[in-house]
Amino acid sequence: MTCPICKKPAHPDYRPFCSRRCADVDLGRWLSGSYAVPSDDPEDAERAAEELTRQPTKPH
Ligand SMILES: [Zn+2]
């Protein structure tokens, strides 16, 4: 088994990674990756709601 981050042999304590550093790198990637996907939806919904409230402009 090799470390998916740096391709070095994995350490039994940090499988499948070679070190805690690489495990942290992967965790960070995973967190930022999973964060980016769902956070797109609320942002879009917020934008859509903002546009909806903006659209009915009251004629003066
Ligand atoms: Zn590594």
Side-chain angles (χ1 to χ4, degrees), residues 3-49:
C3 174
I5 304 300
C6 65
K7 309 296 181 197
K8 283 180 189 170
H11 191 284
D13 283 355
Y14 303 107
R15 279 188 311 173
F17 308 101
C18 69
S19 62
R20 171 132 195 217
R21 204 180 73 93
C22 281
D24 282 349
V25 168
D26 187 75
L27 184 70
R29 280 186 190 175
W30 188 85
L31 282 177
S32 59
S34 65
Y35 234 91
V37 173
S39 74
D40 270 350
D41 273 346
E43 231 174 60
D44 277 355
E46 222 170 287
R47 243 189 208 186

